[in-house]
């Protein structure tokens, strides 16, 4: 015992040697005798001060036993004085510090201590102004540093305390702090709380679920929807209103930072907790499935889905989905803050990507997209501000960061690259591109865009990975479902300008097939209007933002985006009225915004270089009109030929529509808001017709009609005046903008509701876009003229072109500037030694157009007349001389004398090759047209001698190639130009001949020349040594001149049926440029109703056209004309007017034309091949309403004989031509019946009898012979099946992707798709006359046989000139150029009575007629003006063939739906119910007509010697002397 005692004594001695607690004052009291608060506070302060100075390892622990016991007395812990409790808590935490690790307290005492700290001390930390704030912070510091908080984990039943610790700490940091000195919580409070809670999480075996929920809730503080407590549909759907954007935080909250630190400090524990939390939410949601009670007032979500978007039964209900949506939002923020805690959650989330329930897959797809992008609960950052009206425009050198991206809450941030951290989950996510649900694919597309725009949350993407994602984005732009395509378009709209160029531009520009930008450009022609409405503004906005870089000459931006305006304007050819309404809005809001630039002139900052590429010095004013003009010129310069036609046609609507709008305003004034004293019925009827006419130009005619009636009833005279201001040609741009703004404000003020005002404003604005001179505004003329003179930024050519268009369409705009133009021409007048400026031609044309309408405004001084004479004699190019003559004839007071002098000067010493000889020829050409009476007979003979002997009959550079060589040259040499002008002299001479009796004799020689050039393929001389490039050019010019002559009734009567057939074959010339040039002139004249209806036969010869562009143009044009005639018929229903059947009657003429075609053959394969003509005709003309008439006319041909070459005698035997007619009649009938079956239509029996044109057909006099012919089938048995196969293959090929299911990536193309992938091309045969072919075996050197079976057919491909169908080159037979007028034949084509041609006839009142054709450019290409019916399908749908070209990609592009037939389909009738074709009995009936049609027409009027004739001739000359466009 001694050693142990000795040892004990030693230990006691050592313990007494350590310092102990010196405080010995009582802290507790007996009941009824409390210690005074002041004394108690003094003692506690003394105790606290003493213990704070002690170190843990240098004190005697037993000395604290008494004090510890007194401090846990309820009298102190529950004292009412806050100071007592604060000091008590400070003393207790010191005891815990000094006595650690063994606290001298029982479990219950520790519980009481932590109750005091948690519920009294910690909440008080939120008030820095508290008197005992230092004691509060000391307690917190001690718990955090010493980690005394871990004792809380040892207390039994501690869940509530632990939960309260987390709750109170986060509440303290989250609560707003307001104190007098303006300072918030001290930084050490946040840090100590974070350390304390981290320690507690790390040491606690299992955190209570409430504590986990509290930590979770902190990550949702960045979500403004959660913070604001918003309710309703927006909250439910996770959509934040735009006005709530102000609720976004600018920096991360302290509570958020604390939760983030805790999770990163304890990743393993928190990963376990979060995994359990997420799993519990998913299980609860999956167990919440039940029967959903549909809401009758809410449209079902599946109404807009296909079957793949419908959830299987048993999925979570709406409440469960709402909970899942919240937890998925949490996961987004957790990845931004602490990705390590999600390592167990990501696999669970990945499993949702493969769930059967669509909502689960959708949520998982959305969440993965945001996680990879580093987007948290606050949502994505604000999209970049792409303002097309900004000036200066955005530049690539501008900083990439915008103000919104500086917000830490919304700035995308990914702490680690997700693809590397979770490669399997990333690969699974990318596979959702092929999800069967369109909703999931759309969500995936949105996520893909965010990944690209954020560079995977700032973590970065490799070039290889980024290129892959860009390719996937392009695929989604061509997805089969419109919702996916819309999502993809919206994704592109969220790219910044820099990203568009540097990221999307890497795959190519808008003109490079397969690139993202090119596929986006295709979406503006999408079959779904919702997609077009999204894509077109986005594409236009991109160009509007890039215009600064384009004007600055940035080659990269120009290469990528220059073609955007062309892509947008070319949508006009879809013939969809919705597209055209959208086109107007996009054009004046994105491409050329009305508010670009600021209306008022401003002063730029000193030496500030803007994105337009020029520097403005201080004090230099900015001319907004010049800036706007520059943008217009850059837009026009970048347009392709087709787009230019649309652009110019759209600008020409004001002269056409303006008078009708003025009439409408006048009727509104007479209507007087519905209160009229007289003529009430007449005014209402007229106003009704006007409004109906205008409403037809809108996508929603009913709404437009309602709006216009509301406008009429408003009867606001100021609004009438404002509209007149907008329409007036002399209104400057600033006045127009002010008038438009005031009109909008007045309508809003007057209207009773916002909805009414918005609809009315939209309708009137759309109408004002069409009737106002916005681009051709007088304010732009000075700038255009300046650019044309200075060639600044190489815009002179474009400025001249625009000036030429303005002068021809709206010359009244030039009134204020014509003197300046004339002064410029006077200064630039050429002489023998001095040539004129190249831009003088455009100025001369502008002056000529203006002089024709306002001759008195042109200067009359001698110097100007002398200048015009100089241009007429020495102008270069020769067109300058022609326009100068037009100016002289229109405006000169002594024009007769000047004309005689000009003729003498042109004839004097004329010799080929002398200086200015082309100008003399052009002058003579114009003079014989405008002033034939002023030219003597001797002068006329001299002119003819020059044109024929010196020019046409000479070959100065004989060809060394084969006589059959036939080529095209992009340039026209001097000799070819001379021959063209010589031909014009001959044609213009007979055009001005006004004696009908002598006309045939005078015109015979000219007709022979033109016919020889056409028949002999441009060869006129027997030596056949004309250069090949001259022959193609001369053949085209001859065909065009033939068309021009036929615009006059007297000349058209001289064109025989056989000559017409030869002229029609120019449409199948071997050279593409010849075909295109001939087609554009033919369309122009037909468009303006200048040619008889037999010329409508020629466009159907393009059925074998190898050029997709030309074929598409022909198809679009035919369908637009069909729509016009359909509207005419609809207006004629119930009226006394005769029924219009222009295109329906063409089928008989088409049969006759094919019967005399040099490629005709009775062989089975050739007949099946010829059925393509009828298929092409039916595709573009046939509807359910007119198919019966077409069939009846085709059937009627079999009751007639051919009369093209000569009218057969009554008893004459049948000829080969008759046999051809009967073969083709049977072939046409079979094709029509098969087409009827494919469309599920029914051919009805017509009661009347169709009369065919006597110039082509003569009736069979013998009834028995007619009966025999009608009952005999001239076709082989296999023809019917072959035609059926060919028809089905053609229809399938015209609708690629129609009816196909969506295929997965890499799936091979189906066999059926391969069979109909392409159609064969009918190739040319050796040609010759019918008699020659009968005696000589048919040559097939230029013709490839078409396989009999359609399943072996191939697609039309571009062929070289040698493979084109060509007419015969045999010598022309003698022709009689006087024939029965084709109009008389046309009138016989109608049922029961002769029908007048009523194309373009105005309605009974002076409202715009629905069938009126729009104004076009010189090519007659675009139907964009006066009647939207001209460019609209009969049922308002887009043209199937002129729509977008789908990019070939398995599973994506091929499944894009295509438009169905234009007419509604009926249920297929039973075979028994279909009427069979019955032979028509031939009846001999004399045909005679004593009267002619009296329908108004511009055709048939004698040539008037006036300047008005100049316009038509101008257009022709420009086309004939320049290279014809590739497409009509």
């Amino acid at each position: 015992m001694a050693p142990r005692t000795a040892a004990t004594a030693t230990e006691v001695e050592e313990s007494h040697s350590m310092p102990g607690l010196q405080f010995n004052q009582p802290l507790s009291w007996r009941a009824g005798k409390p210690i005074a608060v002041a004394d108690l506070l003094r003692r506690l302060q003394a105790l606290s001060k003493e213990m704070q100075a002690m170190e843990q390892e240098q004190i005697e622990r037993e000395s604290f036993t008494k004090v510890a016991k007194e401090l846990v007395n309820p009298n102190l812990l529950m004292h009412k004085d806050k100071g007592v409790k604060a000091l008590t808590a400070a003393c207790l935490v010191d005891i815990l510090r000094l006595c650690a690790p063994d606290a001298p307290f029982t479990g219950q005492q520790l519980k009481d201590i932590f109750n005091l700290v948690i519920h009294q001390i910690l909440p008080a930390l939120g008030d820095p102004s508290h008197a005992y704030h230092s004691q509060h912070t000391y307690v917190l510091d001690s718990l955090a540093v010493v980690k005394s908080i871990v004792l809380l984990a040892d207390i039994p039943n501690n869940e509530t305390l632990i939960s309260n610790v987390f709750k109170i700490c986060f509440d303290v940091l989250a609560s707003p702090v307001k104190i007098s000195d303006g300072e918030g919580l001290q930084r050490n409070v946040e840090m100590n709380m974070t350390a304390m809670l981290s320690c507690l999480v790390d040491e606690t075996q299992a955190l209570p679920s409430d504590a986990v929920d509290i930590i979770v809730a902190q990550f949702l503080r960045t979500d403004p929807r959660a913070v604001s407590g918003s309710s309703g549909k927006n909250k439910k759907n996770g959509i934040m209103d735009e006005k709530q954007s102000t609720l976004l935080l600018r920096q991360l909250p302290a509570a958020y930072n604390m939760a983030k630190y805790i999770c990163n400090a304890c990743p393993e524990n928190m990963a376990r907790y979060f995994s359990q939390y997420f799993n519990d939410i998913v299980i609860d949601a999956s167990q919440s499935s039940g029967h959903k009670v549909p809401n009758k007032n809410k449209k079902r979500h599946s109404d807009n889905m296909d079957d793949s978007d419908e959830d299987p039964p048993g999925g979570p209900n709406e409440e469960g989905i709402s909970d899942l949506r919240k937890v998925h939002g949490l996961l987004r923020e957790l990845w931004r803050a602490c990705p390590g805690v999600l390592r167990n959650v990501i696999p669970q989330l990945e499993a949702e990507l493969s769930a059967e329930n669509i909502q689960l897959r959708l949520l998982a797809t959305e969440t993965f997209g945001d996680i990879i992008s580093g987007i948290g609960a606050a949502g994505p950052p604000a999209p970049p501000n792409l303002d097309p009206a900004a000036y200066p425009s955005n530049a690539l050198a501008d900083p990439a960061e915008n103000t919104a991206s500086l917000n830490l809450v919304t700035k995308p941030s990914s702490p680690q690259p997700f693809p590397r951290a979770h490669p399997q989950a990333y690969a699974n996510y990318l596979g959702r591109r092929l999800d069967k649900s369109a909703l999931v694919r759309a969500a995936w597309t949105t996520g893909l865009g965010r990944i690209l725009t954020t560079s995977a949350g700032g973590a970065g993407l490799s070039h290889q990975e980024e290129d892959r994602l860009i390719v996937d984005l392009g695929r989604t732009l061509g997805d089969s479902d419109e919702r996916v395509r819309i999502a993809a378009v919206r994704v592109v709209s969220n790219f910044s300008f820099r990203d568009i160029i540097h990221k999307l531009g890497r795959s190519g520009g808008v003109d490079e097939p397969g690139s993202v930008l090119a596929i986006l450009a295709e979406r503006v022609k999408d079959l779904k209007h919702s997609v077009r409405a999204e894509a077109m503004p986005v594409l236009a906005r991109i160009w509007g933002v890039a215009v600064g870089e384009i004007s600055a000459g940035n080659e990269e931006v120009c290469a990528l985006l220059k073609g955007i305006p062309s892509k947008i304007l070319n949508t006009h050819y879809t013939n969809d009225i919705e597209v055209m309404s959208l086109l107007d809005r996009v054009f004046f809001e994105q491409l050329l915004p009305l508010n670009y630039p600021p209306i008022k002139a401003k002063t730029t900052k000193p030496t500030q270089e803007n994105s337009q590429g020029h520097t403005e010095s201080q004090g230099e004013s900015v001319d907004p009109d010049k800036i706007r003009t520059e943008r217009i010129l850059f837009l026009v310069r970048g347009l392709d030929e087709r787009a230019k036609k649309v652009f110019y046609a759209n600008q020409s609507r004001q002269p056409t529509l303006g008078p009708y709008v003025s009439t409408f305003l006048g009727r509104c004034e007479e209507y007087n808001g519905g209160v009229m004293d007289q003529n009430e019925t007449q005014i209402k009827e007229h106003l009704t017709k006007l409004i109906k006419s205008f409403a037809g130009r809108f996508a929603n005619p009913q709404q437009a009609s309602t709006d216009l009636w509301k406008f009429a009833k408003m009867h606001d005279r100021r609004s009438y005046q404002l509209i007149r201001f907008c329409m007036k040609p002399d209104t400057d741009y600033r006045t127009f903008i002010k008038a438009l703004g005031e009109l909008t404000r007045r309508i809003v003020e007057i209207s009773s509701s916002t909805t009414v005002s918005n609809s009315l404003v939209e309708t009137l604005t759309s109408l004002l876009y069409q009737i106002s001179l916005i681009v051709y505004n007088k304010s732009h003329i000075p700038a255009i003229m300046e650019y044309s003179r200075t060639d600044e930024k190489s815009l002179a050519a474009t400025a001249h072109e625009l000036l030429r268009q303005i002068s021809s369409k709206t010359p009244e705009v030039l009134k204020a500037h014509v003197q300046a133009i004339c002064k410029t021409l006077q200064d630039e007048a050429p002489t023998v030694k001095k040539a004129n400026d190249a831009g003088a031609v455009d100025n001369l044309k502008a002056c000529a157009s203006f002089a024709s309408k306002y001759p008195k405004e042109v200067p009359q001084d001698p110097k100007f007349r002398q200048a015009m004479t100089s241009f007429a004699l020495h102008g270069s190019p020769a067109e300058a001389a022609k326009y100068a003559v037009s100016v002289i004839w229109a405006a000169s007071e002594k024009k007769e004398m000047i004309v005689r002098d000009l003729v003498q000067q042109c004839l004097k010493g004329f010799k080929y090759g002398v200086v200015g000889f082309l100008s003399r020829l052009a002058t003579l050409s114009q003079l014989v047209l405008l002033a034939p009476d002023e030219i003597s007979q001797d002068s006329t003979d001299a002119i003819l001698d020059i044109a024929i002997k010196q020019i046409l009959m000479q070959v100065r550079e004989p060809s060394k190639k084969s006589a059959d060589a036939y080529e095209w040259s992009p340039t026209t040499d001097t000799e070819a130009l001379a021959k063209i002008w010589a031909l014009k002299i001959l044609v213009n001479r007979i055009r001005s001949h006004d004696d009908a009796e002598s006309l045939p004799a005078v015109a015979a020689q000219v007709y022979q020349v033109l016919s020889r050039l056409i028949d002999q393929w441009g060869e006129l001389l027997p030596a056949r040594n004309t250069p090949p490039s001259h022959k193609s050019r001369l053949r085209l010019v001859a065909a065009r001149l033939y068309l021009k002559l036929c615009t006059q009734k007297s000349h058209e009567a001289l064109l025989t049926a056989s000559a017409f057939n030869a002229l029609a074959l120019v449409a199948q010339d071997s050279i593409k440029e010849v075909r295109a040039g001939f087609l554009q002139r033919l369309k122009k004249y037909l468009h303006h109703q200048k040619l008889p209806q037999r010329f409508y036969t020629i466009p159907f010869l393009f059925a074998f056209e190898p050029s997709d562009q030309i074929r598409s143009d022909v198809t679009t044009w035919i369908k637009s004309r069909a729509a016009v005639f359909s509207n005419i018929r609809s207006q004629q229903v119930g009226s006394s007017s005769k029924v219009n059947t222009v295109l329906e009657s063409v089928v008989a003429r088409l049969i006759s034309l094919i019967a005399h075609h040099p490629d005709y053959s009775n062989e089975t394969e050739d007949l099946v091949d010829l059925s393509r003509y009828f298929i092409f005709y039916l595709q573009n003309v046939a509807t359910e309403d007119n198919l019966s008439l077409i069939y009846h006319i085709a059937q009627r041909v079999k009751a007639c004989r051919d009369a093209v070459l000569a009218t057969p005698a009554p008893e004459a035997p049948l000829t080969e031509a008759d046999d051809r007619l009967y073969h083709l009649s049977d072939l046409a009938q079979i094709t029509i019946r098969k087409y009827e079956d494919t469309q599920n239509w029914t051919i009805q029996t017509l009661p009347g009898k169709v009369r065919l044109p006597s110039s082509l057909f003569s009736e069979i006099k013998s009834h028995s012979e007619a009966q025999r012919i009608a009952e005999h089938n001239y076709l082989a048995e296999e023809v019917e099946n072959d035609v059926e196969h060919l028809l089905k293959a053609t229809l399938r090929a015209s609708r690629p992707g129609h009816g196909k299911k969506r295929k997965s990536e890499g799936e091979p193309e189906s066999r059926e798709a391969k069979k109909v992938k392409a159609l064969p091309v009918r190739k040319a045969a050796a040609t010759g006359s019918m008699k020659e072919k009968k005696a000589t075996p048919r040559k097939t050197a230029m013709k490839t046989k078409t396989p009999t079976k359609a399943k072996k057919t191939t697609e039309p491909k571009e062929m070289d000139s040698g493979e084109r169908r060509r007419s015969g080159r045999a010598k022309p037979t003698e022709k009689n150029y006087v024939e029965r007028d084709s109009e008389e034949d046309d009138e016989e084509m109608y049922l029961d009575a002769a029908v007048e041609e009523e194309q373009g006839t105005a309605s009974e009142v002076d409202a715009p007629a629905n069938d009126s054709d729009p104004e076009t450019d010189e090519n007659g290409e675009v139907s964009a003006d006066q009647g939207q019916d001209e460019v609209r399908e009969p049922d308002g749908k887009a043209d199937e063939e002129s729509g977008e070209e789908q990019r070939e990609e398995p599973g994506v592009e091929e499944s894009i739906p295509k438009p169905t037939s234009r007419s509604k389909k009926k249920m297929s009738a039973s075979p028994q119910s279909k009427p069979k074709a019955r032979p028509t009995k031939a009846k001999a009936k004399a045909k005679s007509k004593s009267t002619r049609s009296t329908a108004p027409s511009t055709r048939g009027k004698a040539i008037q010697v006036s300047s008005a004739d100049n316009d038509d001739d101008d257009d022709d000359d420009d086309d004939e002397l320049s290279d014809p466009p590739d497409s009509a």
Side-chain angles (χ1 to χ4, degrees), residues 165 187 260 414 864 1005 1200 1244 1321 1469:
V165 170
R187 179 65 178 167
K260 174 182 176 180
S414 181
F864 180 72
Q1005 184 181 12
C1200 300
Q1244 305 294 335
V1321 178

Side-chain angles (χ1 to χ4, degrees), residues 42-322:
R42 187 176 57 256
R43 296 174 186 178
L44 289 172
Q45 288 175 350
L47 177 60
S48 175
K49 184 177 180 180
E50 182 180 354
M51 287 192 294
Q52 288 179 14
M54 294 182 176
E55 297 295 335
Q56 185 179 16
E57 298 178 355
Q58 300 177 1
I59 52 93
E60 182 182 356
R61 297 183 180 180
E62 281 101 5
S63 62
F64 296 95
T65 303
K66 177 182 177 183
V67 174
K69 184 177 180 180
E70 289 181 337
L71 288 173
V72 296
N73 191 293
N75 292 333
L76 292 179
L77 296 179
M78 302 179 65
H79 200 280
K80 64 181 180 179
D81 187 78
K82 296 180 180 180
V84 173
K85 289 188 286 187
L87 291 170
T88 301
C91 294
L92 287 171
V93 296
D94 277 333
I95 292 177
L96 293 177
R97 174 177 63 85
L98 295 173
C99 297
D102 299 322
F105 304 110
T106 64
Q108 182 59 42
Q109 289 174 337
L110 284 174
K111 189 173 184 179
D112 294 339
I113 293 172
F114 281 109
N115 263 321
L116 171 65
V117 173
I118 293 171
H119 295 100
Q120 301 296 328
I121 305 302
L122 295 181
L125 289 170
D127 184 9
S129 62
H130 197 284
Y132 294 95
H133 182 68
S134 58
Q135 284 75 21
H136 299 158
T137 56
Y138 180 78
V139 171
L140 175 63
D141 182 73
S142 179
L143 291 175
V145 175
V146 183
K147 299 185 178 180
S148 305
I149 193 67
V150 299
L151 297 174
L152 186 59
D154 298 334
I155 300 175
N157 302 322
N158 59 358
E159 290 82 1
T160 302
L161 288 175
I162 293 177
S163 298
N164 288 337
V165 170
F166 282 91
K167 179 180 182 301
I168 292 173
C169 288
F170 282 111
D171 286 347
V172 168
L173 293 185
S175 59
V177 179
K178 297 181 181 180
I179 54 178
S180 58
D181 58 1
E183 296 182 359
L185 287 176
Q186 299 177 3
R187 179 65 178 167
N188 63 335
V189 172
E190 178 183 346
M191 296 176 60
N192 289 330
M193 280 188 175
T194 303
M196 179 184 68
L197 295 181
S198 300
C199 180
L200 188 58
V201 170
D202 196 37
E203 297 295 334
T204 305
Q205 293 294 329
L207 278 180
S209 59
D210 290 343
V212 176
D213 291 344
I214 292 170
I215 297 175
V216 166
Q218 309 313 310
F219 292 101
L220 298 177
R221 290 185 179 276
T222 57
D223 187 355
R225 294 175 290 268
V227 174
S228 62
S230 60
S231 60
K233 183 175 70 173
N234 286 350
K235 180 180 178 182
K236 177 180 177 181
N237 295 334
I239 301 173
M240 183 180 67
D241 188 86
E242 293 181 358
K243 297 180 180 179
Q244 290 180 312
S245 60
T246 55
L247 299 175
L248 291 175
L249 301 172
R250 298 304 173 187
Q251 58 184 2
L252 296 174
Y256 176 95
N257 289 327
M258 184 166 68
K260 174 182 176 180
Y261 181 86
I262 292 172
C263 292
N264 287 322
C266 312
E268 294 185 0
N269 291 344
M270 295 307 300
R272 184 175 70 253
Y273 297 142
F274 280 123
S275 177
Q276 184 62 40
Y277 176 85
F278 180 78
N279 192 46
D280 291 343
I281 296 293
V282 173
I283 293 175
D284 292 343
S286 61
Q287 293 177 351
S288 64
S289 61
H291 178 69
K292 300 179 183 179
V293 180
N295 185 354
K296 295 182 179 179
N297 297 326
K298 182 178 180 181
K299 186 176 181 180
R300 292 189 304 112
H301 187 60
S302 61
D303 288 349
N304 292 327
M305 303 180 185
D306 52 26
D307 294 340
S308 63
D309 290 332
E310 295 181 358
D311 280 325
N317 58 17
E318 293 183 4
E319 183 179 357
I321 291 295
S322 178

Side-chain angles (χ1 to χ4, degrees), residues 1041-1117:
L1041 292 176
Y1042 241 146
L1043 293 177
K1044 176 177 287 186
L1045 287 172
C1046 290
T1047 58
Q1048 295 175 241
K1049 181 181 293 186
S1050 56
H1051 287 284
E1052 192 273 334
L1054 301 179
L1055 184 67
T1056 63
S1058 56
F1060 173 83
N1061 291 344
L1063 174 64
L1065 292 180
V1066 178
Q1068 294 182 334
D1069 192 280
S1070 59
I1071 294 179
K1072 176 182 177 182
E1073 289 78 7
V1074 175
R1075 301 194 305 272
F1078 177 69
L1079 175 64
Q1080 63 89 14
R1081 186 56 49 82
L1082 174 68
K1083 292 194 303 180
K1084 171 185 175 180
Y1085 290 148
L1086 287 174
H1087 169 75
H1088 289 290
Q1089 302 93 42
K1090 294 184 177 181
L1091 292 173
Q1093 75 179 56
R1094 65 167 166 169
F1095 284 86
Y1096 277 100
T1097 312
I1098 300 177
F1100 296 102
L1101 291 182
F1102 285 87
F1104 288 90
E1105 174 58 45
S1107 170
D1108 293 336
Q1109 185 67 59
I1110 297 179
R1111 183 184 174 92
S1112 175
D1113 289 344
V1114 174
T1115 300
T1116 303
W1117 185 84

Side-chain angles (χ1 to χ4, degrees), residues 587-704:
F587 188 86
F588 291 113
E589 294 177 7
Q590 308 291 342
L591 292 178
L592 295 177
L594 296 180
N595 59 338
Y596 176 85
I599 296 299
K600 294 183 179 179
K602 294 185 177 181
T603 302
T604 57
K605 296 180 181 180
T607 65
Q608 179 183 2
E609 184 175 357
N610 56 35
S611 62
Q612 269 68 19
H614 57 80
T615 304
E616 306 287 353
S617 60
Q618 185 175 7
E620 183 180 354
S621 62
V622 176
D623 183 4
D625 293 329
K626 183 177 180 180
I627 296 171
R628 193 183 311 108
T629 303
E630 179 182 303
R631 181 163 178 161
I632 294 172
L633 293 175
F634 273 109
L635 185 145
V636 174
R637 190 176 72 175
L639 297 178
D640 58 30
E641 289 301 320
R642 285 164 53 88
K644 277 186 180 180
K645 294 168 186 175
V646 177
F647 174 81
Y648 290 132
N650 284 346
Q651 311 315 316
S652 303
R653 290 175 295 186
Q654 193 276 343
T656 305
L657 291 179
Y660 299 111
V661 176
S662 298
T663 303
F664 169 70
L665 297 178
R667 291 296 178 268
C668 287
E669 291 176 334
E670 295 175 359
Y671 185 67
N672 196 28
V675 181
M676 293 157 282
D677 297 332
Q678 56 185 357
N679 300 330
E680 179 176 353
T681 303
Q682 179 182 357
I683 294 173
K684 284 185 177 180
E685 289 179 355
H686 194 185
L687 195 58
T688 299
K689 292 181 179 180
L690 285 168
I691 290 177
K692 181 180 179 181
S693 177
F694 288 130
R697 306 180 65 84
F698 291 86
N700 188 349
Q702 184 177 0
Q703 182 62 46

Side-chain angles (χ1 to χ4, degrees), residues 94 397 886 1124 1449 1485:
D94 277 333
S886 299
V1124 171
E1449 178 184 340
K1485 192 172 184 179

Side-chain angles (χ1 to χ4, degrees), residues 26 135 176 214 233 271 364 780 884 957 1179 1258 1363 1423 1460 1481 1526:
Q135 284 75 21
I214 292 170
K233 183 175 70 173
H780 300 154
E957 296 182 5
Q1179 282 184 297
S1258 64
E1363 295 178 322
S1423 305
T1460 57
K1481 296 182 179 181
D1526 290 342

Side-chain angles (χ1 to χ4, degrees), residues 1173-1193:
Y1173 288 113
F1174 302 116
I1175 294 174
F1176 182 69
Y1177 171 84
L1178 293 172
Q1179 282 184 297
N1180 295 290
V1181 176
T1183 65
E1184 188 173 7
D1185 297 328
N1186 66 8
L1187 188 67
S1188 300
L1189 177 58
I1190 295 173
Y1191 181 80
H1192 191 60
I1193 295 174

